[in-house]
Amino acid sequence: MKHPTATLVVSCPDQKGLVAALAQLLYEHGANILQAQQHTEATTHTFCQRIHFETSELAVSRAELEEVLSQECARHRMRWRLTHSDERKRVALFASKFEHCLADLLLRHRLGELPCEISLIVSNHLDLEPVADQFGLPFHVFPITPETKDAQEARELELLDQHAIDLVVLARYMQIVSPEFIAEYPERVINIHHSFLPAFIGARPYHQAYERGVKLIGATAHYATSDLDEGPILAQEVVHCSHRDSVADLVRKGRDVERLALASAVRAHLEDRVVVVGHRSVVF
Amino acid sequence: MKHPTATLVVSCPDQKGLVAALAQLLYEHGANILQAQQHTEATTHTFCQRIHFETSELAVSRAELEEVLSQECARHRMRWRLTHSDERKRVALFASKFEHCLADLLLRHRLGELPCEISLIVSNHLDLEPVADQFGLPFHVFPITPETKDAQEARELELLDQHAIDLVVLARYMQIVSPEFIAEYPERVINIHHSFLPAFIGARPYHQAYERGVKLIGATAHYATSDLDEGPILAQEVVHCSHRDSVADLVRKGRDVERLALASAVRAHLEDRVVVVGHRSVVF
Amino acid sequence: MKHPTATLVVSCPDQKGLVAALAQLLYEHGANILQAQQHTEATTHTFCQRIHFETSELAVSRAELEEVLSQECARHRMRWRLTHSDERKRVALFASKFEHCLADLLLRHRLGELPCEISLIVSNHLDLEPVADQFGLPFHVFPITPETKDAQEARELELLDQHAIDLVVLARYMQIVSPEFIAEYPERVINIHHSFLPAFIGARPYHQAYERGVKLIGATAHYATSDLDEGPILAQEVVHCSHRDSVADLVRKGRDVERLALASAVRAHLEDRVVVVGHRSVVF
Amino acid sequence: MKHPTATLVVSCPDQKGLVAALAQLLYEHGANILQAQQHTEATTHTFCQRIHFETSELAVSRAELEEVLSQECARHRMRWRLTHSDERKRVALFASKFEHCLADLLLRHRLGELPCEISLIVSNHLDLEPVADQFGLPFHVFPITPETKDAQEARELELLDQHAIDLVVLARYMQIVSPEFIAEYPERVINIHHSFLPAFIGARPYHQAYERGVKLIGATAHYATSDLDEGPILAQEVVHCSHRDSVADLVRKGRDVERLALASAVRAHLEDRVVVVGHRSVVF
């Protein structure tokens, strides 16, 4: 893609003429639509649209486009955001002791799969510092105990703020992030839960899966909300298993689906393909 | 769905303003867009769009809407079609001796999964007449030999014409349909090929798959074209297999993926979610 | 398969020499082993084995083979069963108002996928009588109310006993079968649960799945036990879904995975590939 | 696994008593069988068996066990191999310029998924030396031109010989390895082909897949033989795709299935779960 592109994502109560209004506005200002998806949530009558367009022949500045969009969206009481492909999101990866999700995201980033800048890595343990070093990334350790948790989270938030972080990815962070932390990054914290939610909520899901004798295990990537494991689901993957799989085998197979689900969710977020409606997500 | 809905499907060389033009036209005539998808084929710069909309508050008659659409689409050199949910497509199912695809489609139709009218069943053998009887459908037998093929196809086409058939589904018909026949129903003949095309083109694909020792087998549903097995692919499904699977097991597993792929393709066609661009298909 | 084959399935506390003892015994009596799988459950140290063998050159009668096996298995405190491919299991299908699982099993049986005799169909409603008629099978209706449930189940059990039923398949029966009923057919009642257990236990799982916004839905086939939905899992299938799927779409997609999971479980049972260890199943 | 275990893999023309003979021999020498699978290839009447057993109470030395097995297997004209879990296979990874398969295997090895020693990395280019460095592994470069190919392969073979390499993994090596090279490592060179073989044999399979408009893409891991892409298949994976996927997207999705298929094949080989029969593989 030589020229930068832009993406407009909107949602609002459904009414007639919304598609026409936005398409007309973009056309008048010189945008060429490359891809557009529109969906209306049947139960809440919520209109959702994503428009991906070329900006090489835009007749106005980005600021001016923002301004006219702001006025139009206000008229329809739309939630909206406009992003540009050359203003890459800044991402912080949080990990703990398991490296597979972290290493997978770093590798994908190096391969060009994730359109973002990975600014830094945060952990509550020192174990993964070598991985950060391998990829030449700053590694920040915030050891956490019940007593220090509030203070450490405050320091983490300060760090994120200094780096103007857009997205936090909990890549098997193994720590419950406080509602206060989440509130600072609404729909901007992605977590990977190592099971097929809503099955096996809580601790040691692979042990639970083994005990239950399931024939499939899965992983779920979702936006973190104050309700643990209850945020809008972004991606889910599964893999078949059998009686031959020990708990260790389930953990191994689980790593594969965790990596796939998390990478898929992070990509969807980075490409601005997600609209949250209530506690469900539309992933265009 | 209480009120009828309509679907507009268009494709044309890409240019700016197409989304706006169509959305504006529909809005002005009282349509409420429920779902819209737009895609531009990168290599051919072909604009493709599907718009699904409510017609309960349409300000004009269907004929008038057709007329204004016709003029607008002509201006942009668009291929287009407009369909209405209460004008159900009329389908002819062609089968030979294997009943699984035929019975599956009939069952799905009875369950309400396929929005169409199944008008009749055509076969070159008598074997499946009882299946037609079970579902209370007319069964027409056209035995085919090299000598009679042309004449029989002519009679089949006459029958399809009499019943104003919109779509022909080759549900394991096991006969090569002539280019002349296909030409009468362009992009309106769906075939199920019992392999993961383009692997195992031609006869006895499950035997070929067994000999090759593959670990997956598949099925491909596609529009039939004059080039055997080369038409635009609509749906593909696969299933894992192993050394424990005999040819008979592959055939059995294959039946499941054939049924799934064919039903998926037929649904996509009936819901007007397919746009053909060259020899590829866009399935919205 | 020209000659009949036999299958021996055993389980017992693990000890050395079990494989050798059984293999030697079978060899001495003229059996030729076609396929054998052996697995030891790590947590319970339970030895499980399935041996599938040719009997065309058996040096003894079936009764004599049973006798020597009986003695050998007693020595090792084995649970065991010996079945013969020409003594087909007799199956009763229970259904309610939904026909897809019932029709699917009947179709598969007609296609030769299920090595059994389907003796009869039981329902608590009249709706599916035409399906039974289509396949020429006896249809027995036992309307059930809270008051009549015990008496009706007693009549059902009597009917099953008269027909020497080996396996009961609850093909979306939509009635909770009593623990007393289950106790008469231990590990011989297969149920299909219309969700990916243990998620969405209980009523209306597709509505629950829609509300939760999952990206995958599934189905679980399991042996019924007195604990609802807690019996040993035999097969699970899933399919991807998205925001575009309404509850009706989830129900439709769910039908496909229900059919696949149930058919897979029934086949495994009929081919004597299942060993239950505690509340987990080994499916060879 | 505290105590070392051993694995016996055999294949030979089928005859009665083979299972009993091997089980009896192992039992007499103190082995405790943990897992056993036996399969008879129907078309070639080839008996295949894998026996995984505990050796902690073995009554003889490994050399003595080898000796008695050697005699027994000779009697039945068996191909056989006996491996011990504490004698880890030595692996050489060959790569070119793409790092995803190489990095994936190295990460899995670090996570403990691959029971082997990775001795060295070979490449025809310098590009991936940093990856080798990250994992602290020797990196050997053998630039290859048509003129130097024979000599360079000879040097590679010498290197592999010096390091007593058991398995060569072509992790997207992008060079055709000569039949002479393969002949030195029969059934010990694993290749990943970036398509669902036998579709898209040859160059640029993702471009071919895009042109053909397929709805699934795949990857195939197989033993390399002198016939390019025709060796016994070990593992295949697929992923759905759509009109929205550009060639670049197919390449990206392809990387995921390549990694999964290759890792699965390498694990199967390392765990001695593969038996080759003709040009098919049995993967227990």
Side-chain angles (χ1 to χ4, degrees):
Chain A
M1 196 71 71
K2 289 130 199 166
H3 296 289
T5 56
T7 305
L8 174 65
V9 180
V10 304
S11 60
C12 64
D14 191 27
Q15 63 183 101
K16 270 192 216 170
L18 294 171
V19 173
L22 292 175
Q24 190 61 36
L25 184 153
L26 289 174
Y27 173 55
E28 283 169 4
H29 292 83
N32 187 33
I33 297 177
L34 295 169
Q35 264 200 342
Q37 295 100 15
Q38 182 267 318
H39 173 76
T40 302
E41 277 279 284
T43 49
T44 59
H45 303 286
T46 305
F47 171 89
C48 306
Q49 190 172 27
R50 174 187 187 265
I51 307 178
H52 182 61
F53 56 97
E54 282 187 335
T55 56
S56 56
E57 300 177 31
L58 218 54
V60 293
S61 71
R62 289 184 185 184
E64 287 163 330
L65 184 63
E66 289 254 348
E67 181 54 31
V68 293
L69 275 170
S70 174
Q71 289 168 18
E72 184 71 21
C73 292
R75 282 181 44 208
H76 302 289
R77 283 178 298 157
M78 282 178 174
R79 288 186 63 189
W80 67 286
R81 62 184 191 268
L82 176 69
T83 59
H84 296 275
S85 65
D86 57 359
E87 299 174 10
R88 300 169 69 118
K89 291 187 177 62
R90 300 171 60 82
V91 176
L93 302 180
F94 279 46
S96 188
K97 292 183 170 182
F98 296 124
E99 75 165 304
H100 60 283
C101 282
L102 177 67
D104 186 69
L105 290 173
L106 294 173
L107 179 61
R108 288 178 191 274
H109 185 257
R110 189 155 75 191
L111 292 168
E113 293 185 15
L114 301 176
C116 67
E117 181 183 322
I118 296 181
S119 305
L120 54 89
I121 297 171
V122 168
S123 183
N124 53 341
H125 291 285
L126 272 167
D127 307 53
L128 297 183
E129 186 156 30
V131 178
D133 290 348
Q134 281 188 352
F135 288 85
L137 286 170
F139 185 80
H140 300 264
V141 183
F142 296 91
I144 288 185
T145 63
E147 291 72 32
T148 64
K149 181 162 182 168
D150 287 357
Q152 292 293 62
E153 279 201 348
R155 291 181 53 213
E156 286 169 3
L157 285 170
E158 200 176 348
L159 178 71
L160 300 182
D161 190 53
Q162 280 165 12
H163 288 80
I165 294 302
D166 295 296
L167 175 69
V168 173
V169 179
L170 307 178
R172 296 297 308 273
Y173 177 50
M174 309 299 282
Q175 273 283 329
I176 294 174
V177 178
S178 73
E180 291 72 29
F181 186 108
I182 302 291
E184 296 290 317
Y185 288 90
E187 294 166 24
R188 294 196 289 145
V189 179
I190 295 177
N191 184 42
I192 179 70
H193 184 83
H194 47 320
S195 101
F196 178 77
L197 286 177
F200 308 125
I201 290 177
R204 309 211 334 154
Y206 293 120
H207 287 77
Q208 293 182 52
Y210 180 84
E211 290 301 322
R212 186 63 187 85
V214 294
K215 302 302 183 191
L216 285 166
I217 56 164
T220 304
H222 61 96
Y223 283 131
T225 56
S226 54
D227 276 344
L228 179 66
D229 295 339
E230 290 294 329
I233 292 171
L234 298 170
Q236 297 191 294
E237 292 292 338
V238 284
V239 63
H240 278 271
C241 55
S242 81
H243 62 273
R244 287 171 66 176
D245 291 308
S246 65
V247 170
D249 291 319
L250 297 185
V251 169
R252 172 178 55 77
K253 289 186 167 183
R255 280 196 291 262
D256 280 335
V257 284
E258 290 169 28
R259 287 154 66 171
L260 291 170
L262 182 57
S264 172
V266 170
R267 265 181 70 80
H269 179 96
L270 294 175
E271 296 177 351
D272 286 297
R273 289 189 280 108
V274 185
V275 188
V276 171
V277 180
H279 53 281
R280 289 164 45 90
S281 74
V282 169
V283 181
F284 283 122
Chain B
M1 197 71 74
K2 287 130 199 168
H3 296 289
T5 56
T7 304
L8 174 65
V9 180
V10 303
S11 60
C12 65
D14 192 26
Q15 64 184 98
K16 269 191 215 170
L18 294 172
V19 174
L22 291 175
Q24 191 61 34
L25 184 152
L26 290 175
Y27 173 54
E28 284 168 4
H29 291 82
N32 187 34
I33 297 177
L34 295 168
Q35 262 200 341
Q37 296 101 16
Q38 182 267 319
H39 173 76
T40 302
E41 276 280 284
T43 48
T44 59
H45 303 287
T46 305
F47 171 90
C48 305
Q49 191 172 27
R50 174 187 187 265
I51 308 177
H52 182 60
F53 56 98
E54 281 186 335
T55 56
S56 55
E57 300 177 31
L58 218 55
V60 292
S61 72
R62 289 184 185 183
E64 287 164 330
L65 184 63
E66 290 254 346
E67 182 54 32
V68 294
L69 275 170
S70 174
Q71 289 169 19
E72 184 71 21
C73 291
R75 284 181 44 208
H76 302 289
R77 284 179 297 157
M78 282 176 174
R79 288 185 63 191
W80 67 287
R81 61 182 191 270
L82 176 68
T83 58
H84 297 276
S85 65
D86 58 358
E87 297 174 9
R88 302 174 71 142
K89 291 186 177 63
R90 300 172 59 82
V91 176
L93 303 179
F94 279 46
S96 188
K97 293 182 170 183
F98 297 125
E99 75 165 303
H100 59 283
C101 283
L102 178 66
D104 186 70
L105 290 173
L106 294 173
L107 179 60
R108 288 179 192 275
H109 185 257
R110 190 157 73 191
L111 292 168
E113 294 186 14
L114 302 175
C116 67
E117 180 183 322
I118 296 181
S119 305
L120 53 90
I121 298 171
V122 167
S123 183
N124 54 340
H125 292 286
L126 272 166
D127 306 53
L128 298 182
E129 187 156 27
V131 178
D133 289 348
Q134 282 189 350
F135 288 85
L137 287 170
F139 185 79
H140 300 264
V141 184
F142 296 91
I144 288 184
T145 65
E147 292 72 32
T148 64
K149 181 161 182 170
D150 287 359
Q152 293 291 62
E153 280 201 347
R155 290 181 55 212
E156 287 169 2
L157 285 170
E158 201 176 345
L159 178 71
L160 301 181
D161 191 53
Q162 281 165 12
H163 287 82
I165 294 301
D166 295 295
L167 174 69
V168 173
V169 179
L170 306 178
R172 296 297 307 275
Y173 177 50
M174 309 297 282
Q175 274 284 328
I176 294 175
V177 178
S178 74
E180 292 71 30
F181 187 107
I182 303 291
E184 296 289 319
Y185 289 89
E187 295 168 22
R188 294 196 289 146
V189 178
I190 295 177
N191 184 41
I192 179 72
H193 185 83
H194 46 321
S195 101
F196 179 78
L197 287 176
F200 308 125
I201 289 177
R204 308 209 338 152
Y206 292 120
H207 288 77
Q208 293 183 53
Y210 180 85
E211 290 301 322
R212 187 63 188 85
V214 295
K215 301 301 183 193
L216 284 167
I217 56 163
T220 304
H222 61 96
Y223 282 132
T225 56
S226 54
D227 277 345
L228 180 66
D229 296 340
E230 290 293 330
I233 292 172
L234 298 170
Q236 297 191 294
E237 293 292 338
V238 284
V239 63
H240 279 271
C241 54
S242 81
H243 61 274
R244 288 171 65 177
D245 291 308
S246 64
V247 171
D249 291 320
L250 297 185
V251 168
R252 173 177 54 78
K253 288 186 168 183
R255 280 197 290 261
D256 279 337
V257 284
E258 289 169 28
R259 287 154 66 172
L260 291 170
L262 182 57
S264 171
V266 170
R267 265 181 70 82
H269 180 95
L270 293 176
E271 296 177 350
D272 286 295
R273 289 190 280 109
V274 185
V275 188
V276 171
V277 180
H279 53 282
R280 290 163 44 89
S281 75
V282 169
V283 181
F284 283 123
Chain C
M1 197 71 73
K2 287 131 201 167
H3 296 290
T5 57
T7 304
L8 174 65
V9 180
V10 304
S11 60
C12 64
D14 192 26
Q15 63 183 99
K16 269 191 215 172
L18 295 171
V19 174
L22 292 175
Q24 190 62 34
L25 182 153
L26 289 174
Y27 174 54
E28 284 169 4
H29 293 81
N32 187 33
I33 296 177
L34 294 168
Q35 263 200 342
Q37 294 101 16
Q38 183 267 319
H39 174 75
T40 303
E41 277 279 284
T43 47
T44 58
H45 303 287
T46 305
F47 171 89
C48 306
Q49 190 171 28
R50 175 186 186 265
I51 308 177
H52 182 60
F53 56 97
E54 282 186 333
T55 56
S56 55
E57 300 177 30
L58 218 54
V60 293
S61 72
R62 290 184 184 183
E64 287 163 332
L65 184 63
E66 288 255 347
E67 181 55 32
V68 293
L69 275 170
S70 174
Q71 290 168 18
E72 184 71 20
C73 292
R75 282 182 43 209
H76 302 290
R77 284 178 297 157
M78 283 177 173
R79 287 186 63 189
W80 68 286
R81 62 183 191 267
L82 176 68
T83 58
H84 297 275
S85 65
D86 57 358
E87 298 174 8
R88 304 177 72 152
K89 290 187 176 62
R90 301 171 59 82
V91 175
L93 303 179
F94 279 46
S96 187
K97 293 183 170 184
F98 296 126
E99 75 164 306
H100 60 283
C101 283
L102 177 67
D104 186 68
L105 290 173
L106 294 174
L107 179 61
R108 289 179 192 276
H109 185 257
R110 190 155 75 191
L111 292 168
E113 294 186 14
L114 301 175
C116 67
E117 180 183 321
I118 296 181
S119 306
L120 53 90
I121 297 171
V122 167
S123 182
N124 54 340
H125 292 285
L126 271 166
D127 305 54
L128 297 182
E129 186 156 30
V131 179
D133 290 349
Q134 282 188 351
F135 288 85
L137 286 169
F139 184 80
H140 300 265
V141 184
F142 297 91
I144 289 184
T145 64
E147 291 72 32
T148 65
K149 181 161 183 170
D150 288 358
Q152 292 293 62
E153 280 200 347
R155 290 181 54 212
E156 287 169 1
L157 285 170
E158 200 176 346
L159 178 72
L160 300 182
D161 190 53
Q162 280 165 12
H163 287 82
I165 294 302
D166 294 296
L167 175 69
V168 173
V169 179
L170 307 177
R172 297 298 308 275
Y173 177 50
M174 308 298 282
Q175 272 284 331
I176 294 174
V177 178
S178 73
E180 292 71 29
F181 186 107
I182 302 292
E184 296 290 318
Y185 287 90
E187 295 168 23
R188 294 196 290 145
V189 178
I190 295 178
N191 184 41
I192 179 71
H193 184 84
H194 47 319
S195 102
F196 179 77
L197 287 176
F200 307 125
I201 289 177
R204 309 208 339 152
Y206 293 120
H207 288 77
Q208 293 183 52
Y210 179 84
E211 289 301 322
R212 186 63 187 87
V214 294
K215 301 302 183 191
L216 285 166
I217 55 162
T220 304
H222 61 96
Y223 282 131
T225 55
S226 53
D227 276 345
L228 179 66
D229 295 339
E230 290 294 328
I233 292 172
L234 297 170
Q236 297 191 296
E237 293 292 337
V238 284
V239 63
H240 278 271
C241 55
S242 81
H243 61 275
R244 288 171 65 178
D245 291 308
S246 64
V247 170
D249 291 320
L250 298 185
V251 168
R252 172 178 54 78
K253 288 187 169 183
R255 281 197 290 262
D256 279 335
V257 284
E258 290 169 28
R259 286 154 66 170
L260 291 170
L262 182 57
S264 171
V266 170
R267 265 182 69 82
H269 180 95
L270 293 175
E271 295 177 351
D272 286 296
R273 289 189 280 110
V274 184
V275 187
V276 171
V277 179
H279 53 281
R280 289 164 45 89
S281 74
V282 170
V283 181
F284 283 123
Chain D
M1 195 71 72
K2 289 130 201 168
H3 296 289
T5 56
T7 305
L8 173 65
V9 180
V10 304
S11 60
C12 65
D14 192 27
Q15 64 183 99
K16 269 191 216 172
L18 294 171
V19 173
L22 291 175
Q24 190 62 35
L25 184 153
L26 289 175
Y27 173 54
E28 284 170 4
H29 293 82
N32 187 33
I33 297 177
L34 295 168
Q35 263 202 340
Q37 295 100 15
Q38 182 266 320
H39 173 76
T40 302
E41 277 279 284
T43 49
T44 59
H45 302 287
T46 305
F47 171 89
C48 306
Q49 190 172 27
R50 173 186 188 265
I51 308 176
H52 182 60
F53 56 96
E54 280 187 336
T55 56
S56 55
E57 300 177 31
L58 218 53
V60 293
S61 72
R62 289 184 184 185
E64 287 164 330
L65 184 63
E66 289 254 346
E67 182 54 31
V68 293
L69 275 170
S70 174
Q71 289 169 18
E72 184 70 20
C73 292
R75 282 181 45 207
H76 302 289
R77 285 178 296 156
M78 281 176 174
R79 289 186 63 190
W80 68 287
R81 61 182 192 268
L82 177 68
T83 58
H84 297 276
S85 64
D86 58 358
E87 298 175 9
R88 300 169 69 118
K89 290 187 177 62
R90 299 172 58 83
V91 175
L93 303 180
F94 280 46
S96 188
K97 293 183 170 184
F98 296 124
E99 74 165 303
H100 60 283
C101 282
L102 177 66
D104 186 69
L105 290 173
L106 294 173
L107 179 61
R108 287 178 192 276
H109 185 257
R110 190 156 73 192
L111 292 169
E113 293 186 15
L114 301 175
C116 67
E117 180 182 322
I118 295 181
S119 305
L120 53 89
I121 297 170
V122 168
S123 183
N124 54 341
H125 292 286
L126 271 166
D127 306 52
L128 298 182
E129 186 157 28
V131 179
D133 290 349
Q134 280 187 352
F135 288 86
L137 286 170
F139 185 81
H140 300 264
V141 184
F142 297 91
I144 288 184
T145 65
E147 292 71 33
T148 64
K149 181 162 180 167
D150 287 359
Q152 293 293 63
E153 279 201 347
R155 291 181 54 214
E156 286 169 2
L157 284 170
E158 201 177 346
L159 178 71
L160 300 182
D161 190 53
Q162 281 166 12
H163 287 82
I165 294 301
D166 295 295
L167 175 69
V168 173
V169 179
L170 306 178
R172 296 297 309 273
Y173 177 50
M174 309 297 283
Q175 274 283 329
I176 294 175
V177 178
S178 73
E180 292 72 28
F181 186 107
I182 302 292
E184 296 289 318
Y185 289 89
E187 295 167 21
R188 293 196 289 146
V189 179
I190 295 177
N191 185 41
I192 179 70
H193 184 83
H194 47 321
S195 100
F196 179 77
L197 286 176
F200 308 125
I201 289 176
R204 311 215 328 156
Y206 293 120
H207 287 77
Q208 293 183 53
Y210 180 84
E211 290 301 322
R212 186 63 187 87
V214 295
K215 302 300 183 192
L216 285 166
I217 56 163
T220 305
H222 61 96
Y223 282 131
T225 57
S226 54
D227 276 344
L228 180 65
D229 296 338
E230 290 294 328
I233 292 172
L234 298 170
Q236 298 191 294
E237 293 291 339
V238 284
V239 63
H240 279 271
C241 55
S242 81
H243 62 274
R244 288 171 65 176
D245 292 307
S246 64
V247 171
D249 291 320
L250 297 185
V251 169
R252 171 177 56 77
K253 288 187 168 183
R255 281 197 290 262
D256 279 336
V257 284
E258 290 169 29
R259 288 154 67 172
L260 291 171
L262 182 57
S264 171
V266 170
R267 265 181 69 83
H269 180 95
L270 294 175
E271 295 177 352
D272 286 297
R273 289 190 280 110
V274 185
V275 188
V276 171
V277 180
H279 53 283
R280 289 163 45 89
S281 74
V282 170
V283 181
F284 282 123

